[in-house]
Amino acid sequence: MAAAPLGRVVLTHLLVALFGMGSWAAVNGIWVELPVVVKDLPEGWSLPSYLSVLVALGNLGLLLVTLWRRLAPGKGERIPIQVVQALSVVGTALLALLWHQVATVAGQHHSVAFLTLALVLALACCASNVTFLPFLSHLPPAFLRSFFLGQGLSALLPCVLALVQGVGRLECAPAPTNGTPESPHNFPERFPASTFFWALTALLVTSAAAFQGLLLLLPSPPSRPTWGPGPGLRAGAPGVEEEEGEAALPLQEPAVRAAGTMPNTDPESPRLLPARSACLLGLLAVTNALTNGVLPAVQSFSCLPYGRLAYHLAVVLGSAANPLACFLAMGVLCRSLAGLGALSVLGVLFGAYLMALAVLSPCPPLVGTTAGTVLVVLSWVLCLGLFSYVKVAASSLLHGGGRPALLAAGVAIQVGSLLGAVAMFPPTSVYHVFRSGKDCVDPCGP
């Protein structure tokens, strides 16, 4: 017996969210596990700089996807998505086994296995934006919001897992009456990095299984069902050859199929004009440049002067703001370009405050006070929440342009992220504009 329409819609939302969860989980997991792996790898705390370069090189994944589209036109996104997911699962599993292996290169010890697998995972994650999003053009815009909710979980769940692991726990020794202060005591993690990477592999396997579930749930049978839940679960034969997709739309509204036309995927959205589309793509590029490149580079500088607790709260609650913004977009979606621009400006103001704190580190305003801690955590949550909402809303509006518009959205997201990361590399790693304090040492005291 066929599932009830409402149950099928809910199941599709769940599968789309789990599918989106696998987009950036691998690279996000590597980032949050760095405090653990740097203890055993020869690069030490220069490893984040290496990782930044590798993630930037991961944008070559865009070229590989473009090459696939040239060599196999009309084949859809199913095969590229499965390749991306296979690389993510296998790469993370190998990371669990080999992350600590060291080899000698040019007379120096290097973590060749870790860096090579990080590059493979970066290629997969960067390619996900230009394969996962076009696949969702086969579904109504509401499912795009579920995808971004899952993408938010790809950042939140590794953070929660790292907190459970006990990353970065330390205890400051009592201040001596005279003499040199003792070094802080670092607590060991509750489980090793290998266990963390195995758990990350399980998340990616779940995401890959969700995609296979979507392919089974949204087939292209010869018969035409007669039901449609509300606006309808329209699916243009996801994951199969596009030349067949126009002929079978199994979850589209029956009235639309009878007419033989492809309607606007969101009846409430205004017509997508070229100028409007360009503005939405610009918003996507700018917001992703800030959230994926500029702001992450200064998060530790802006938060750590207020203590480890402030830093962990900013990381976890900021990651939680992403899926919460997606939930909000499901109920209340801003369709006004001016409104999205205003929200972006508000997010930029919070981002400017955080950048100012990073520049003034290790002695920003209100350091050592509860008000300062609350302000920095709240600024991170609101900044990331606002930008996440703008990204979801802009992508939902671009959905009206179909697969080409969503492909352009994926490119804008990736190019913006790359430009943000490249822009922040010189001030953070070359010119050392930002300064960090030391644990258990007050650099702002008399």
Side-chain angles (χ1 to χ4, degrees):
M1 181 179 293
L6 179 60
R8 189 166 184 173
V9 171
V10 172
L11 178 59
T12 307
H13 275 290
L14 176 62
L15 292 176
V16 169
L18 292 176
F19 168 54
M21 180 183 68
S23 57
W24 278 88
V27 168
N28 289 333
I30 292 177
W31 275 112
V32 300
E33 194 65 5
L34 280 181
V36 179
V37 300
V38 294
K39 300 176 184 178
D40 299 312
L41 296 181
E43 290 83 4
W45 275 108
S46 64
L47 199 61
S49 297
Y50 283 88
L51 187 56
S52 297
V53 173
L54 292 176
V55 173
L57 290 176
N59 285 279
L60 293 174
L62 300 178
L63 300 180
L64 296 178
V65 174
T66 302
L67 181 63
W68 158 261
R69 296 186 193 282
R70 293 291 184 183
L71 296 178
K75 291 297 182 181
E77 281 75 36
R78 177 177 59 84
I79 293 178
I81 289 174
Q82 289 173 333
V83 170
V84 165
Q85 291 180 326
L87 286 176
S88 298
V89 171
V90 174
T92 311
L94 290 176
L95 205 57
L97 296 171
L98 305 174
W99 71 268
H100 55 280
Q101 298 295 324
V102 175
T104 302
V105 178
Q108 294 184 332
H109 293 300
H110 287 285
S111 50
V112 176
F114 181 87
L115 294 174
T116 301
L117 291 171
L119 175 60
V120 171
L121 294 173
L123 287 168
C125 290
C126 291
S128 69
N129 280 333
V130 291
T131 53
F132 289 19
L133 280 176
F135 170 81
L136 295 173
S137 64
H138 301 290
L139 295 171
F143 295 96
L144 190 65
R145 294 154 214 165
S146 296
F147 171 81
F148 279 108
L149 187 152
Q151 200 171 57
L153 293 179
S154 74
L156 176 61
L157 293 181
C159 288
V160 172
L161 186 60
L163 287 179
V164 173
Q165 184 184 19
V167 173
R169 291 186 305 147
L170 60 81
E171 182 181 46
C172 295
T177 53
N178 46 39
T180 305
E182 297 182 12
S183 300
H185 173 65
N186 290 282
F187 291 99
E189 289 77 28
R190 295 185 179 93
F191 50 84
S194 295
T195 304
F196 177 91
F197 289 127
W198 281 123
L200 199 61
T201 303
L203 290 179
L204 293 169
V205 169
T206 302
S207 176
F211 177 65
Q212 296 305 312
L214 280 174
L215 295 180
L216 294 174
L217 187 66
L218 306 176
S220 53
S223 60
R224 293 179 176 181
T226 58
W227 55 268
L233 264 176
R234 182 187 58 81
V240 300
E241 287 75 4
E242 289 175 0
E243 54 265 29
E244 301 173 4
E246 296 290 340
L249 301 174
L251 299 180
Q252 188 177 328
E253 286 181 305
V256 172
R257 290 198 307 272
T261 59
M262 182 70 71
N264 184 358
T265 56
D266 189 353
E268 298 179 20
S269 64
R271 185 168 175 263
L272 195 62
L273 300 175
R276 180 182 177 85
S277 178
C279 291
L280 292 172
L281 290 173
L283 279 179
L284 278 178
V286 171
T287 54
N288 280 278
L290 293 173
T291 56
N292 298 338
V294 175
L295 293 175
V298 300
Q299 186 165 36
S300 59
F301 298 104
S302 66
C303 295
L304 284 178
Y306 298 95
R308 291 271 179 147
L309 178 61
Y311 176 71
H312 287 309
L313 286 176
V315 170
V316 174
L317 295 180
S319 298
N322 191 320
L324 288 176
C326 296
F327 270 120
L328 179 61
M330 287 181 178
V332 181
L333 184 67
C334 177
R335 302 177 184 276
S336 165
L337 195 58
L340 293 179
L343 292 176
S344 300
V345 170
L346 186 59
V348 167
L349 292 178
F350 284 113
Y353 173 71
L354 296 171
M355 185 65 70
L357 295 182
V359 171
L360 296 173
S361 177
C363 297
L366 302 177
V367 67
T369 66
T370 303
T373 302
V374 171
L375 275 176
V376 70
V377 173
L378 191 61
S379 295
W380 271 106
V381 171
L382 292 176
C383 180
L384 296 180
L386 286 168
F387 284 141
S388 297
Y389 181 87
V390 170
K391 287 190 286 186
V392 175
S395 299
S396 297
L397 296 179
L398 284 168
H399 190 285
R403 179 179 175 275
L406 287 182
L407 178 60
V411 172
I413 289 171
Q414 206 53 50
V415 170
S417 302
L418 173 63
L419 293 178
V422 170
M424 291 305 295
F425 186 79
T428 56
S429 301
V430 178
Y431 300 108
H432 302 289
V433 173
F434 308 99
R435 293 182 300 152
S436 59
K438 296 181 179 180
D439 291 321
C440 303
V441 175
D442 182 13
C444 309

